[in-house]
Amino acid sequence: MKIESYKNFMRSKWCLVFMLIVLISCNRIVSSDKDSEHVMQLVKMYKVKAIQCQQNQPDTAIIYADSAIILLRKMKDCNSDTLLSLIKIKALAYFNTELFDSTVSILERNYFEAVELKDSTLEVKTAIILSGFALDKNNLYLVEKYISKAIKLLKSESDENDKALAYSIYGSFLWIKGENKKANEYLMKAYKIYETLKSYSNLSRVSINIGNNFSAIESKKDELFYYRVAIDAALKSKDTINLIHSLCNMGVYYRYENPDSALFYYNKVIGLKPRGKTPNFVISAKYNKASLLIDRKDYKKAFEALDKVLKECQLEKNYIGMAYAYGGLATCYVSMKRVNQAINYMENAIKIADTIGSKDMAMLLRDELQTIYEENANYKEAYLLSKQIKVFTDSTKSIEKQIAIHKMEANYQSEKKELENKLLKSELTKQNKLLVNRYLTIVFFIILSLILGVLLWRTHVLNKQRAIAYEVLMRKYKDEVGVVQNTSNVTLENSIKNTDFTEMHLQLYTQIVYYYQTEKPYLDPVFKVETLLEALKISPKAVSQALKCNNYNFNSITNHFRVEEAKARMADPIYRNYKIEAIAAESGFGTRMSFYNAFEQITGVKPGFYRNNINSDTEKVQ
């Protein structure tokens, strides 16, 4: 029964209206406080789920973040901080799935929206986030483009965390460029802000960068100081990643000065491995530990350590770690004077570095392979490899040249960009028009459905009222069945209400009615007023005035008698099997339509309805 009722509902006239209203309501803007509160609860829930999934299930995190962003954008008062945090989560999820272009696209779209809205705060925050991702990917062109804009927009009243993060990213960028003095100036600005705010996790990270900068200028004392600050800050903030990074740098610091201390720090890093995928810092620590074992000629432990790293990285599909492991095994075989195996492993490491696009690693590995060829008097291979390295070096431009090329390309391709923008705007306009047309079509169908619904409801009401009227009339007609009606008397009673009649008119009207009752001329379909005039020997004007004073004319009185005849025949059992059209013809009607029109006009009901009800009532009486 439930299934059948559902099918009936789907077939009903309201189904289309219901579906269209639901479609529109899904796209409405949240307006009421209650709706806003409910939407914000959903946004918070999706945000929490996205954060939980962004490391191990980035695809799922993207779905949750996207759902929250869509809900948030539909609100009238969209919280820009919450929106930016969700966009950052989505961008990080793309970043974790190696979809850097998607990360940049999302953040650049938000940046340009902020520019259009003239929201400098949102513009700064987005530029900083984008620069951070670009720095992680070593995309220095994007870093310079956006971090310089962010620093220019920073004001005295700007958020201190935003300032510190911008200075930290810009300082790291300058360090990579080799501008160590200027880099230290910005890194120290960030350091002082984080120290004042007691933001230990950020303090640890910027201290690592300061230590790296001092390492580049060979200021050992300052390098060691800031690495230790980084360790203390990481311990205070319980930041395992920064702690691992700091300890790993300490191991590198002591690598040649004090190998035992270096080994101590490497073991600390390996022991701190977090759950899930092994970070590259831990892989690096394992590789460096194996290198120390090679220096000590402890080849067995070195092989075991590197083989373990290789298997772990293969299992986790960590290609950088695999390249490290192959390079370490090559170094181990070189130390053991097993050149062929060393070359084989080094070539594997280079192949992986080329595949993943790690140019710096590929260059270092090629340099090491060239050294192996030269030390073993394989000058031909060394020469061929040196030519590869030269080509590779020439193709890898300096940072300044890369930036200059990017700027030059941007200038030369401005016309192309404008054309692309015009095409994009044109496409966007088309899409907007298509969307508007779709909404207008939906609205049109909703309005049409509502009009149809109102008309159907109105028809239903009218039918119901007609049915009630029919019932009232039929009760009257049923009471009249079997009673001999004197049409003349009835008509005369009606005529008394008209004050314009005279005695002569009354007598003439009585004469006409009597003629109709006795001669029944109306049964002839071709009965005309001329026949009446000739039979009664009166003038047309006299007949017209006599009938008019009694609210009749020739056609109406003739139809009145014909309808009364038809009613009598319908109530008569003899005519039970006669068709209505046959009864109409025998009652004097020339056409089916004239009969139906006259019958409904005089009786107030349709012929079929009258016949069915009179006959059923007659059967009950019998």
Side-chain angles (χ1 to χ4, degrees):
M1 288 296 291
K2 288 183 179 179
I3 294 172
E4 187 62 33
S5 62
Y6 175 75
K7 288 180 179 177
N8 290 335
F9 169 74
M10 292 299 291
R11 285 194 295 265
S12 71
K13 59 182 177 293
W14 297 108
C15 180
L16 178 62
V17 179
F18 174 77
M19 292 175 71
L20 290 172
I21 290 170
V22 169
L23 181 63
I24 294 296
S25 65
C26 289
N27 290 294
R28 67 187 177 90
I29 295 175
V30 178
S31 56
S32 69
D33 293 340
K34 191 173 181 181
D35 286 345
S36 298
E37 187 179 346
H38 177 65
V39 169
M40 283 306 299
Q41 287 176 355
L42 284 175
V43 168
K44 288 176 183 177
M45 182 185 74
Y46 288 147
K47 183 179 177 181
V48 170
K49 288 183 178 292
I51 292 169
Q52 291 170 349
C53 298
Q54 65 183 359
Q55 288 296 331
N56 300 323
Q57 296 174 294
D59 292 334
T60 308
I62 290 167
I63 294 169
Y64 279 123
D66 237 352
S67 302
I69 289 167
I70 290 167
L71 286 171
L72 199 61
R73 283 187 185 278
K74 287 179 182 175
M75 295 181 67
K76 281 187 175 180
D77 300 321
C78 178
N79 188 297
S80 58
D81 290 336
T82 306
L83 180 62
L84 183 62
S85 67
L86 288 165
I87 290 170
K88 185 178 178 181
I89 291 167
K90 185 179 175 182
L92 180 59
Y94 276 119
F95 188 84
N96 291 336
T97 53
E98 301 297 327
L99 295 172
F100 181 64
D101 288 342
S102 298
T103 302
V104 174
S105 176
I106 292 163
L107 291 169
E108 281 190 331
R109 193 184 311 137
N110 197 64
Y111 176 82
F112 291 124
E113 284 179 5
V115 172
E116 286 180 10
L117 294 170
K118 296 182 180 180
D119 188 340
S120 58
T121 303
L122 186 60
E123 188 179 342
V124 168
K125 288 178 182 291
T126 309
I128 291 171
I129 294 168
L130 180 51
S131 302
F133 281 119
L135 188 65
D136 285 345
K137 277 291 180 181
N138 208 28
N139 191 322
L140 300 176
Y141 167 68
L142 281 176
V143 176
E144 188 192 47
K145 179 181 177 182
Y146 285 101
I147 200 62
S148 56
K149 290 180 179 179
I151 288 174
K152 284 178 184 176
L153 287 168
L154 286 170
K155 301 173 183 176
S156 58
E157 66 271 13
S158 297
D159 184 84
E160 291 296 302
N161 278 304
D162 289 342
K163 283 184 183 178
L165 187 54
Y167 294 148
S168 176
I169 292 170
Y170 192 51
S172 300
F173 165 73
L174 293 169
W175 167 65
I176 294 170
K177 283 182 68 176
E179 298 179 21
N180 301 104
K181 186 177 179 180
K182 195 174 180 182
N184 198 59
E185 178 189 338
Y186 280 94
L187 289 170
M188 288 306 297
K189 281 183 179 181
Y191 178 89
K192 288 174 183 177
I193 293 172
Y194 287 136
E195 191 177 35
T196 304
L197 295 174
K198 295 183 180 181
S199 179
Y200 293 114
S201 179
N202 292 318
L203 183 65
S204 175
R205 187 179 65 253
V206 78
S207 297
I208 292 168
N209 292 335
I210 294 170
N212 291 340
N213 192 53
F214 279 120
S215 175
I217 59 177
E218 297 184 356
S219 178
K220 291 289 184 181
K221 184 179 178 182
D222 290 322
E223 178 188 358
L224 184 61
F225 172 79
Y226 282 102
Y227 284 157
R228 284 176 174 167
V229 170
I231 291 170
D232 290 339
L235 288 169
K236 285 179 181 177
S237 62
K238 297 180 182 180
D239 190 329
T240 307
I241 298 299
N242 281 337
L243 181 59
I244 289 172
H245 196 170
S246 306
L247 292 170
C248 196
N249 283 0
M250 289 290 284
V252 173
Y253 177 85
Y254 285 115
R255 172 73 172 78
Y256 297 104
E257 291 184 3
N258 189 338
D260 288 334
S261 294
L263 194 62
F264 168 79
Y265 283 111
Y266 291 146
N267 285 328
K268 280 276 189 183
V269 171
I270 295 165
L272 284 170
K273 175 188 174 301
R275 291 181 181 179
K277 193 174 180 180
T278 307
N280 285 330
F281 295 132
V282 177
I283 297 296
S284 178
K286 290 180 179 181
Y287 170 81
N288 289 334
K289 180 182 176 181
S291 298
L292 281 173
L293 293 171
I294 293 169
D295 291 346
R296 293 178 175 182
K297 310 295 182 185
D298 193 347
Y299 300 121
K300 184 179 179 181
K301 287 185 178 179
F303 271 120
E304 287 176 357
L306 289 168
D307 188 57
K308 191 174 179 181
V309 170
L310 182 61
K311 287 178 180 176
E312 185 179 3
C313 291
Q314 285 174 336
L315 186 65
E316 294 180 353
K317 295 182 179 180
N318 185 337
Y319 299 107
I320 292 176
M322 288 166 64
Y324 269 121
Y326 280 127
L329 289 166
T331 304
C332 196
Y333 279 119
V334 167
S335 184
M336 294 171 66
K337 307 297 182 184
R338 294 168 64 176
V339 179
N340 289 335
Q341 288 94 328
I343 291 170
N344 183 42
Y345 278 107
M346 192 61 75
E347 285 176 346
N348 284 338
I350 291 168
K351 191 181 291 183
I352 291 171
D354 286 339
T355 302
I356 63 176
S358 181
K359 295 180 180 179
D360 294 337
M361 179 180 280
M363 174 68 82
L364 290 171
L365 292 169
R366 280 185 170 87
D367 283 337
E368 289 183 26
L369 182 57
Q370 186 183 14
T371 303
I372 294 170
Y373 283 138
E374 289 173 349
E375 287 178 354
N376 291 276
N378 194 340
Y379 299 113
K380 182 182 177 181
E381 293 295 335
Y383 171 71
L384 293 172
L385 188 60
S386 68
K387 288 180 72 176
Q388 283 185 31
I389 292 170
K390 185 178 183 305
V391 172
F392 192 82
T393 305
D394 290 341
S395 66
T396 308
K397 309 295 180 183
S398 65
I399 294 164
E400 291 82 2
K401 199 167 183 180
Q402 286 182 48
I403 293 169
I405 288 169
H406 277 297
K407 286 180 179 177
M408 184 178 68
E409 287 176 351
N411 290 331
Y412 278 114
Q413 294 184 9
S414 60
E415 289 184 6
K416 184 180 176 183
K417 292 275 185 185
E418 285 179 12
L419 181 61
E420 287 176 356
N421 287 336
K422 284 180 181 178
L423 289 172
L424 285 171
K425 285 180 180 178
S426 175
E427 186 64 28
L428 185 61
T429 303
K430 286 180 183 177
Q431 289 180 359
N432 287 338
K433 284 182 179 178
L434 183 62
L435 191 62
V436 169
N437 287 336
R438 284 179 181 171
Y439 275 114
L440 287 175
T441 304
I442 291 170
V443 170
F444 170 75
F445 277 111
I446 288 176
I447 294 170
L448 183 62
S449 301
L450 291 173
I451 291 170
L452 288 173
V454 170
L455 290 174
L456 288 169
W457 174 78
R458 182 63 180 163
T459 304
H460 172 72
V461 171
L462 290 173
N463 287 337
K464 195 171 181 180
Q465 290 175 349
R466 183 188 293 171
I468 294 169
Y470 275 18
E471 289 295 328
V472 172
L473 288 169
M474 286 309 302
R475 280 199 295 271
K476 173 188 171 186
Y477 295 137
K478 287 173 185 178
D479 291 340
E480 293 175 355
V481 173
V483 177
V484 179
Q485 299 177 1
N486 188 333
T487 309
S488 177
N489 290 339
V490 173
T491 308
L492 285 171
E493 286 176 8
N494 290 338
S495 68
I496 294 170
K497 297 176 183 178
N498 194 325
T499 57
D500 296 331
F501 74 93
T502 62
E503 187 66 29
M504 182 187 72
H505 291 140
L506 179 59
Q507 289 176 359
L508 183 55
Y509 176 73
T510 304
Q511 188 179 356
I512 292 169
V513 171
Y514 181 76
Y515 174 71
Y516 270 86
Q517 288 176 339
T518 55
E519 298 300 327
K520 296 189 178 182
Y522 55 83
L523 295 178
D524 184 0
V526 295
F527 175 57
K528 295 181 181 179
V529 67
E530 288 78 7
T531 307
L532 176 64
L533 296 173
E534 187 179 346
L536 298 180
K537 307 296 183 184
I538 53 178
S539 67
K541 185 177 179 180
V543 170
S544 176
Q545 288 179 344
L547 294 175
K548 187 177 181 181
C549 288
N550 290 278
N551 298 322
Y552 281 119
N553 58 34
F554 175 75
N555 287 332
S556 62
I557 196 169
T558 303
N559 282 338
H560 174 80
F561 277 96
R562 284 172 176 170
V563 168
E564 290 298 323
E565 185 70 29
K567 284 166 61 179
R569 291 173 189 264
M570 287 179 185
D572 193 340
I574 296 173
Y575 292 91
R576 183 177 299 169
N577 297 324
Y578 278 56
K579 290 185 177 180
I580 289 179
E581 287 77 4
I583 292 173
E586 289 194 4
S587 300
F589 287 99
T591 64
R592 181 179 182 276
M593 185 175 291
S594 63
F595 167 66
Y596 272 80
N597 290 339
F599 194 95
E600 189 170 2
Q601 184 179 359
I602 293 167
T603 64
V605 297
K606 293 183 184 294
F609 182 86
Y610 179 88
R611 184 182 191 185
N612 291 337
N613 281 271
I614 287 293
N615 286 339
S616 62
D617 188 71
T618 305
E619 288 172 3
K620 288 177 185 177
V621 172
Q622 290 175 352

